[in-house]
């Protein structure tokens, strides 16, 4: 099938990282299953913690960042990479993973679409803080050093001393406010209204697009159909 194709794509979810030793976010190998946290991953995946409890917010995300930094991609990544090189056909990767395992395995960054962002880049928590060039709104998380793991309580996943968050590597280089990972959190969904005009049933592409957009948007989102 690949040999006869005009182009091909790789799509990957959290299960792709399990053979590398990465836990999934849910299920029997869930990232939080051994922690003393009385909340779901969805509850933790909320940017409100950067305002209400930054030691908790960064404790969680630093734990993940260090895990991703020190995990080598499994052999399956190399198999896929060889196919991209040998087939001679256009390709791209679409992944919801925020671990940058594809890039670490040698895939070109420009060919990897990370629909949820990635943990290896940062942004300001203040949405009003904008750079003159929008490219500069995001910067690499390489500035955050490894070796801070001992400052994170392994059970509660909180930094035990909030003073570390005053270090420049946890701050926005423009305004000095707190930085956060450049990722989509579960609570980042916005309220959306879709006005559909004349979407037919014979070729339902427009109808499906609107339905999917509203389903994935925040609470109170609405699809309005206006058909003749």
């Amino acid at each position: 099938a690949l040999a006869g194709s005009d182009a091909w794509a790789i799509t990957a979810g959290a299960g792709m990282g399990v053979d590398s030793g990465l836990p999934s976010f849910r299920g029997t190998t869930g990232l939080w299953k051994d922690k003393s946290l009385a909340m779901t991953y969805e509850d933790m995946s909320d940017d409100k913690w950067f305002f209400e409890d930054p030691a908790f917010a960064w404790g969680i995300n630093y734990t993940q960042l260090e895990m991703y930094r020190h995990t080598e991609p499994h052999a399956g990544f190399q198999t896929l990479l060889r196919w991209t090189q040998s087939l001679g056909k256009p390709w791209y990767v679409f992944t919801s993973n925020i671990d940058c395992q594809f890039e670490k395995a040698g895939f070109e960054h420009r060919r990897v679409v990370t629909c949820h962002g990635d943990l290896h880049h940062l942004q300001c928590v203040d949405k009003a803080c904008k750079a003159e060039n929008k490219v500069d709104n995001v910067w690499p998380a390489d500035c955050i050093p490894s070796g801070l793991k001992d400052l994170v309580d392994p059970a509660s996943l909180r930094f035990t001393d909030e003073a570390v968050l005053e270090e420049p590597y946890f701050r926005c280089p423009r305004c000095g406010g707190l930085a956060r990972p450049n990722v989509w959190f579960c609570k980042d969904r916005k309220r959306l209204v879709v006005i559909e005009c004349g979407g037919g049933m014979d070729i339902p592409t427009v109808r499906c697009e609107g339905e999917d957009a509203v389903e994935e948007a925040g609470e109170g989102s609405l699809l309005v159909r206006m058909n003749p």
Side-chain angles (χ1 to χ4, degrees):
L2 282 175
S5 68
D6 296 314
W8 64 293
I10 302 164
T11 60
M16 182 64 176
V18 171
D19 282 350
S20 297
L22 293 173
S24 64
F25 292 103
R26 303 166 185 84
T28 57
T29 61
L31 183 59
W32 320 110
K33 68 185 181 69
D34 298 324
K35 310 302 180 186
S36 59
L37 296 168
M39 62 176 69
T40 65
Y41 173 72
E42 287 79 5
D43 290 332
M44 285 183 281
S45 181
D46 191 332
D47 70 345
K48 74 174 185 178
W49 299 118
F50 288 94
F51 302 94
E52 297 178 9
D53 191 351
F56 176 60
W58 261 116
I60 294 169
N61 285 280
Y62 183 78
T63 298
Q64 286 182 257
L65 178 61
E66 281 291 89
M67 179 173 57
Y68 295 155
R69 283 172 168 173
H70 294 96
T71 299
E72 291 300 319
H74 61 74
F77 285 94
Q78 289 303 315
T79 298
L80 292 171
L81 182 61
R82 286 196 298 272
W83 291 353
T84 69
Q85 297 163 344
S86 63
L87 287 170
K89 300 175 185 294
W91 61 272
Y92 74 96
V93 176
F94 182 89
T95 179
S96 59
N97 296 337
I98 60 174
D99 51 30
C100 281
Q101 285 270 289
F102 280 99
E103 292 92 333
K104 196 170 185 177
F107 288 77
E108 297 176 68
H109 179 71
R110 67 184 182 89
R111 300 280 194 106
V112 181
V113 179
T114 53
C115 63
H116 292 169
D118 72 73
L119 209 65
H120 298 267
H121 289 84
L122 304 174
Q123 67 184 68
C124 186
V125 297
D126 184 356
K127 296 176 182 178
C129 179
K130 302 293 185 182
E132 291 186 12
N133 186 335
K134 67 179 182 180
V135 174
D136 297 326
N137 284 329
V138 175
W139 63 95
D142 295 347
C143 57
I144 300 177
S146 290
L148 304 179
K149 185 178 178 181
D150 291 343
L151 301 179
V152 179
D153 178 72
S156 66
L157 294 177
R158 294 183 80 259
F159 270 104
T160 55
D161 185 357
E162 290 193 30
V164 70
L165 301 181
E166 298 298 326
E167 295 292 340
Y169 42 79
F170 281 119
R171 315 303 292 190
C172 172
R174 292 183 300 276
C175 71
L178 189 65
R180 56 161 274 187
N182 179 233
V183 299
W184 175 85
F185 291 113
C186 292
K187 302 294 185 180
D188 280 346
R189 293 183 177 94
K190 304 301 183 185
R191 186 178 300 170
L192 173 69
V193 174
V194 175
I195 306 296
E196 179 190 296
C197 304
M201 294 290 289
D202 291 338
I203 302 177
T205 308
V206 168
R207 295 173 70 93
C208 293
E209 185 72 19
E211 291 169 1
D212 290 346
V214 168
E215 183 178 347
E216 295 172 3
E219 184 178 353
S221 293
L222 180 67
L223 170 62
V224 180
R225 284 197 160 117
M226 299 189 297
N227 295 312

